[in-house]
Amino acid sequence: METVINVQDVVKTYGEKTVLDHIGFRIPAGETVAVVGPNGTGKTTLLEILMTLRKVDSGSVSILGKNANEQKVVDEIRGRIGVMLQEGGMYSYIKLKEALDLFASFYSVGQDKIGQLVEYFELQPYLNTKYEKLSGGWKQRFLLAIAFLHDPDLVFLDEPTTGLDPKATQLVWEKIRGGVQKTKTILLSTHSMEEVDKFCDRVIVLNKGKIAANDTPAAIKEKLKVDFFSDAYFRLVEGDDRR
Ligand SMILES: Nc1ncnc2c1ncn2[C@@H]1O[C@H](COP(=O)(O)OP(=O)(O)OP(=O)(O)O)[C@@H](O)[C@H]1O
């Protein structure tokens, strides 16, 4: 199967602090992959490296078959990835329809594609609503729609369900895993081990700069002989000082 992300021997430091310490992994096309780990362990740093927003100190990063260390291919990679903005990253006063048109213009996306997304994400009743007036669940659903707007091959979601109630969480996951997204590769960070277990094909557990595990949640549970992924997680990050 095609490898969408290939990370080899990557090191990333901030001053004296080594955040990623010789890490490597591959992600095949079509998987939904969670990156988990204690606060401050480098999940966002790793995602930002893979989005081509940060450079590594050493090692190689290949995204969609392109070497992300080469500045000349960065724009090409960025055109094929989607990023879900954080809640505060959207203009408060913009109406949903205006925002969809604005982001569509950046990528030369037509009205037909906007129409498909509006239907899939069920945004129709809110098209004339200002972003700030939406509930947390609808904000997330809308930001998810924007991430998928230009039909990217690879989509990054940084904590897509943080702060949502169980029903809103379920709805966001239905949209992530359902219909139009089936063929895409999705990389997300989360603190919800329940969601990893329920919805993700693969999980990468980061701890103290290293990859503590990289497998399906079921395989990790089986190996550690536990019933719940949260128990596996605590075993894998045990000894962490919870900064
Ligand atoms: N630009 C920066 N300059 C210096 N240190 C940084 C910078 N960005 C992040 N760090 C540090 O690197 C470490 C990893 O941060 P990062 O945000 O990647 O962790 P995280 O796993 O995403 O955390 P959280 O779960 O809290 O979101 C932290 O100790 C953080 O303080």
Side-chain angles (χ1 to χ4, degrees):
M1 189 177 276
E2 188 198 346
T3 298
V4 171
I5 293 174
N6 191 358
V7 170
Q8 287 179 312
D9 205 23
V10 158
V11 175
K12 176 71 185 175
T13 56
Y14 293 118
E16 297 284 282
K17 189 181 164 88
T18 302
V19 178
L20 303 175
D21 189 5
H22 297 277
I23 66 159
F25 59 90
R26 276 165 186 271
I27 293 180
E31 288 196 350
T32 296
V33 182
V35 178
V36 302
N39 285 130
T41 204
K43 299 178 294 296
T44 303
T45 298
L46 176 61
L47 257 57
E48 287 177 353
I49 287 169
L50 301 176
M51 292 173 203
T52 73
L53 298 178
R54 281 184 197 274
K55 290 271 168 259
V56 297
D57 296 2
S58 63
S60 73
V61 178
S62 164
I63 311 291
L64 298 161
K66 309 273 174 211
N67 180 354
N69 294 351
E70 282 181 31
Q71 197 55 37
K72 66 178 192 295
V73 299
V74 162
D75 283 347
E76 196 182 326
I77 295 172
R78 288 183 186 168
R80 293 177 61 197
I81 66 178
V83 175
M84 185 174 168
L85 299 169
Q86 294 285 328
E87 217 186 287
M90 180 57 65
Y91 311 104
S92 306
Y93 298 114
I94 201 164
K95 291 179 180 168
L96 300 202
K97 179 74 178 98
E98 293 166 348
L100 285 165
D101 287 342
L102 177 68
F103 283 88
S105 73
F106 294 159
Y107 294 104
S108 310
V109 169
Q111 287 296 324
D112 49 340
K113 178 70 191 171
I114 297 179
Q116 273 175 23
L117 276 185
V118 166
E119 191 176 327
Y120 180 69
F121 287 97
E122 300 165 62
L123 299 173
Q124 192 67 42
Y126 299 101
L127 287 179
N128 284 314
T129 304
K130 285 180 184 157
Y131 175 73
E132 64 170 4
K133 300 282 181 207
L134 297 175
S135 68
W138 278 100
K139 277 185 178 146
Q140 294 298 78
R141 214 197 282 199
F142 173 65
L143 295 174
L144 200 54
I146 296 281
F148 285 103
L149 187 61
H150 60 299
D151 204 19
D153 298 313
L154 172 61
V155 182
F156 294 95
L157 315 171
D158 200 355
E159 300 192 22
T161 57
T162 296
L164 300 189
D165 67 34
K167 177 83 182 160
T169 298
Q170 178 78 25
L171 287 171
V172 163
W173 272 106
E174 275 174 20
K175 296 303 169 192
I176 294 174
R177 297 297 325 242
V180 280
Q181 280 80 358
K182 276 224 170 79
T183 59
K184 304 198 184 298
T185 309
I186 294 173
L187 203 68
L188 63 121
S189 68
T190 181
H191 286 294
S192 167
M193 300 308 138
E194 192 192 335
E195 290 174 36
V196 167
D197 210 1
K198 233 166 135 178
F199 303 114
C200 297
D201 303 312
R202 173 181 297 276
V203 54
I204 293 173
V205 182
L206 279 183
N207 189 39
K208 295 181 174 170
K210 301 281 190 192
I211 293 184
N214 171 11
D215 212 329
T216 64
I220 293 172
K221 285 191 294 184
E222 195 181 319
K223 192 167 167 209
L224 295 174
K225 300 189 170 54
V226 294
D227 292 329
F228 297 102
F229 188 76
S230 53
D231 291 331
Y233 173 81
F234 287 126
R235 292 266 194 95
L236 289 165
V237 303
E238 212 162 78
D240 182 81
D241 55 8
R242 306 282 156 90
R243 283 145 297 181

